[in-house]
Amino acid sequence: MDENTTGKAFGHRRNASENPPSLAFPRRTRMDQKIVHDRFHVMKLASEAVDKVRRSEHRKLKADGDDRLARSRYLLLSGQESLTDAQQERFEAIYSQELKTGKAWAYKEMLRDLWHHEDAASATAYCKDWYKRVIHTKLTPIKKVARTIRERLPNVVSYCTHRITNAVAEGMNSKIMSIKRRVGGYHNPENFKTAIYFYCGGPDLYPR
């Protein structure tokens, strides 16, 4: 995923010819306060960046006969709380070797702490510090995520004020798409609408 594609995830497209942004962050406006970027999408971008670092490093290591990153994707992209003891042990073995992949994972985990802040002001300060740490590394995929977050920072930290996500809406949309695939599509929009109401509206079918 290139930088333009990454920007699209937040409804923004960056011109590839633009210079890297400075450390000056955008000002917060009243309109920004009404927009909340979904934190799960932000973390998805970060996880994808970690995986790009992992795949790149794995190719280089494998060329030298080093297979230590083979089958490590799940270990690095899953939450530590979901790993078994054996998986945790293997993760620790990989992380302790100070590979680029381990560093990328650490920055991704630091970003997770952003969502625990109680207000947008403290979240903004935390994110600026995270950005400064990341932007001076050689981890290009992670740096692209940092720049994308920087461009939409007010909308990202708004989560800490409103505590909302679009998970419910996305779940509903997924269910609607599942209904459509189940019958190979609907040629009649009214039939499609009726099916959506039936499966998603929770109708009471018991006789009174």
Side-chain angles (χ1 to χ4, degrees):
M1 178 168 55
D2 60 17
E3 190 166 0
N4 285 341
T5 307
T6 304
K8 282 183 179 181
F10 293 116
H12 172 80
R13 184 180 181 88
R14 168 188 282 279
N15 188 317
S17 64
E18 290 182 13
N19 293 324
S22 67
L23 291 179
F25 279 69
R27 289 185 176 180
R28 186 178 179 86
T29 66
R30 288 187 178 182
M31 182 59 71
D32 289 326
Q33 296 173 10
K34 297 179 181 180
I35 301 174
V36 181
H37 283 318
D38 192 88
R39 68 188 182 103
F40 296 108
H41 286 174
V42 176
M43 294 312 302
K44 180 181 179 183
L45 289 180
S47 293
E48 289 172 348
V50 172
D51 196 43
K52 290 185 77 170
V53 174
R54 182 194 66 82
R55 285 187 280 117
S56 176
E57 190 166 37
H58 175 53
R59 283 194 297 269
K60 293 177 181 178
L61 291 173
K62 192 174 182 180
D64 294 329
D66 188 335
D67 238 8
R68 75 182 94 170
L69 285 178
R71 298 179 297 280
S72 62
R73 184 174 186 273
Y74 178 82
L75 302 178
L76 294 159
L77 301 188
S78 299
Q80 294 295 288
E81 63 279 358
S82 63
L83 298 181
T84 65
D85 290 343
Q87 290 170 333
Q88 183 68 44
E89 185 176 340
R90 184 170 179 234
F91 169 83
E92 293 292 345
I94 293 174
Y95 183 72
S96 64
Q97 296 177 52
E98 298 186 0
L99 297 170
K100 287 183 178 180
T101 300
K103 294 177 182 178
W105 176 87
Y107 285 122
K108 187 257 293 185
E109 290 300 299
M110 285 177 63
L111 185 60
R112 287 181 65 181
D113 291 337
L114 172 67
W115 317 114
H116 299 308
H117 289 267
E118 296 182 355
D119 54 69
S122 61
T124 297
Y126 181 86
C127 202
K128 287 182 177 180
D129 180 68
W130 179 83
Y131 178 89
K132 290 177 183 178
R133 293 170 184 267
V134 170
I135 209 64
H136 295 298
T137 70
K138 296 181 179 180
L139 304 171
T140 302
I142 298 291
K143 289 166 69 173
K144 287 182 178 180
V145 173
R147 289 178 178 127
T148 300
I149 292 175
R150 175 195 171 277
E151 291 170 355
R152 291 291 180 267
L153 182 62
N155 306 144
V156 172
V157 299
S158 285
Y159 169 83
C160 297
T161 299
H162 303 290
R163 301 289 171 182
I164 59 173
T165 73
N166 61 356
V168 174
E170 290 198 355
M172 181 66 73
N173 185 60
S174 177
K175 192 170 184 178
I176 291 172
M177 291 299 99
S178 176
I179 294 168
K180 187 175 181 179
R181 288 193 300 269
R182 192 178 305 168
V183 296
Y186 283 86
H187 299 292
N188 187 319
E190 289 303 315
N191 290 343
F192 188 30
K193 186 188 299 185
T194 300
I196 292 173
Y197 283 135
F198 181 81
Y199 288 105
C200 301
D204 186 355
L205 301 179
Y206 288 96
R208 296 291 180 179

